[in-house]
Amino acid sequence: MSHPLLKPAIYSLFDERTLAAFGFTKPSTLIVSGVENSLKLRGYLQRWLVPRRRSDFFTDSQLKSYPRGYQLRDIGPSWMLDKLE
């Protein structure tokens, strides 16, 4: 079971047009400002932390579906191969 503030907190990250397009309810201004301020505080605190010694970005990890990597010509539709060269 999810926390009752989880959905409004996630919805506060979307802009007005995205909320309307998906039919989500607009979160209260209190939740929006709380999420924005907590992200700003997190950014401020991270300035003072020791930098990471190794990257932790998801694109730096090995892909499970392509463990030895891939070339663009090896994936995707065959009709687009002419456009790659």
Side-chain angles (χ1 to χ4, degrees):
M1 193 158 96
S2 66
H3 195 276
L5 291 178
L6 185 61
K7 280 186 181 181
I10 291 172
Y11 294 165
S12 69
L13 299 171
F14 296 133
D15 63 352
E16 300 272 337
R17 293 179 66 192
T18 306
L19 289 170
F22 286 104
F24 297 150
T25 58
K26 184 178 176 186
S28 70
T29 55
L30 182 66
I31 292 175
V32 172
S33 65
V35 168
E36 287 177 355
N37 289 331
S38 66
L39 289 173
K40 288 177 186 177
L41 178 65
R42 179 182 181 267
Y44 177 77
L45 293 174
Q46 279 192 323
R47 282 187 227 158
W48 303 106
L49 295 176
V50 177
R52 292 182 179 155
R53 295 187 186 265
R54 63 183 180 95
S55 177
D56 192 25
F57 198 59
F58 71 95
T59 59
D60 296 332
S61 61
Q62 188 177 15
L63 296 174
K64 294 178 183 177
S65 56
Y66 297 99
R68 292 185 243 1
Y70 63 89
Q71 296 294 320
L72 284 178
R73 66 180 169 273
D74 298 334
I75 61 173
S78 57
W79 58 269
M80 292 186 76
L81 290 177
D82 296 337
K83 295 180 181 183
L84 290 175
E85 288 141 15

